[in-house]
Amino acid sequence: KTAYEIGVRLVGSEMCIRDRSWMLAIGIWFGMGFLGALAMGRFADRSATPTVSKIETPEAREKSLQKASAQLGKELEEMKARAAKEQPDRPAAYVVQEEVQKKGAADLAKAVSNPAKQADIAADQFVGFYFVNTKARAAYCKELGVDISPFVQAFAKEHQALYQKSRMIHNRDPHGADMIETETYKTIAPHMRQVIADETKAAAQQNNITEKQLCQALAEHAQELVPEMMLEKINPPLYQAMMSAK
């Protein structure tokens, strides 16, 4: 099989489109968007106003980040253990993905009567999705000796408008978009890396290929693969929430 054939099988097949859990085969780790929102919710007070009393000291902020990261790791391990116990015939990474996707969608649905809150949640989830594909995935493939910058550039270009909108939403927060993005990524990066590793290994085993080949498919056929990874295609509820956010 060529890298392109592998990529099409893993990303663009009818099965993958209909059953989003199997889109994880090449790592559309949208669930990490939910985890990003989860982390952010633990250290960002969304009801805060930009007053001195509401802004944490750097030391307190760092403690909040460490606590959030530790809790995320604990919850992720619990989900993996539960997945292995309840559905031992399926890769735990896929089962966890389904669980976090449902939780992410539920968070959006709960906030439908509060547009400002829904916009915050949507922006949080989108940033997790965006960073997985523009930062964490690239870092993991680099560990395997593959530069996927063509994919990262194509993905970022196609999602540029949504990314800018997420920044507009986050800039309404007292901490601002730059701090939110930096701290969110710092909090979830170790967990993103582990999820990517688990899912890449599962996909490679299922398709009798190497993890490196998955990364090579992304690098060599970015223009064909990115359209299958557009947010509006893989997660319509989040896309609609982002589009309707003011």
Side-chain angles (χ1 to χ4, degrees):
K1 297 175 183 176
T2 66
Y4 176 67
E5 289 170 335
I6 292 166
V8 169
R9 176 177 179 181
L10 294 177
V11 183
S13 70
E14 183 178 356
M15 176 188 73
C16 284
I17 292 172
R18 290 183 177 178
D19 182 354
R20 288 184 191 147
S21 68
W22 294 102
M23 280 188 168
L24 285 171
I26 68 135
I28 305 193
W29 295 287
F30 166 71
M32 290 307 297
F34 166 75
L35 293 179
L38 204 84
M40 212 178 295
R42 291 204 169 90
F43 64 76
D45 181 356
R46 294 324 251 276
S47 64
T49 55
T51 61
V52 174
S53 63
K54 286 290 187 179
I55 303 300
E56 294 176 299
T57 65
E59 294 78 13
R61 194 84 172 154
E62 183 63 28
K63 277 184 140 182
S64 295
L65 289 168
Q66 292 174 358
K67 184 177 180 180
S69 184
Q71 184 62 26
L72 273 174
K74 179 182 178 182
E75 292 182 10
L76 187 58
E77 288 304 313
E78 288 174 350
M79 282 190 277
K80 288 166 64 176
R82 187 162 59 249
K85 181 179 180 180
E86 296 177 357
Q87 299 189 50
D89 57 325
R90 296 182 62 205
Y94 296 165
V95 181
V96 170
Q97 172 70 7
E98 292 175 351
E99 182 175 346
V100 292
Q101 277 190 265
K102 288 176 182 177
K103 289 182 177 180
D107 279 351
L108 287 171
K110 287 177 187 176
V112 70
S113 62
N114 186 334
K117 183 176 181 180
Q118 189 182 60
D120 284 337
I121 293 170
D124 292 348
Q125 291 188 4
F126 173 78
V127 167
F129 164 76
Y130 186 82
F131 280 173
V132 162
N133 287 289
T134 59
K135 291 189 176 186
R137 189 195 303 280
Y140 186 73
C141 286
K142 186 176 181 180
E143 290 180 25
L144 301 177
V146 181
D147 177 8
I148 64 166
S149 56
F151 167 81
V152 171
Q153 292 165 8
F155 184 91
K157 180 179 179 181
E158 293 297 329
H159 290 88
Q160 181 65 15
L162 288 173
Y163 177 57
Q164 290 304 321
K165 193 164 194 179
S166 75
R167 286 185 59 80
M168 177 195 76
I169 295 167
H170 283 149
N171 272 326
R172 297 198 291 250
D173 185 280
H175 300 103
D178 288 343
M179 181 179 285
I180 286 174
E181 290 180 5
T182 299
E183 293 187 342
T184 300
Y185 190 72
K186 182 178 180 180
T187 302
I188 65 179
H191 312 300
M192 276 186 172
R193 195 266 176 211
Q194 187 57 53
V195 168
I196 289 171
D198 290 345
E199 290 164 352
T200 303
K201 289 173 183 175
Q205 290 173 357
Q206 286 193 330
N207 290 278
N208 197 29
I209 56 175
T210 67
E211 296 169 64
K212 189 171 183 177
Q213 283 179 293
L214 291 175
C215 291
Q216 289 171 334
L218 288 175
E220 295 169 8
H221 302 284
Q223 297 303 320
E224 295 97 331
L225 297 178
V226 166
E228 298 299 333
M229 301 172 72
M230 297 293 289
L231 185 65
E232 57 263 42
K233 182 173 252 186
I234 68 168
N235 198 299
L238 177 56
Y239 177 74
Q240 290 300 322
M242 284 295 295
M243 292 300 292
S244 62
K246 303 296 183 183

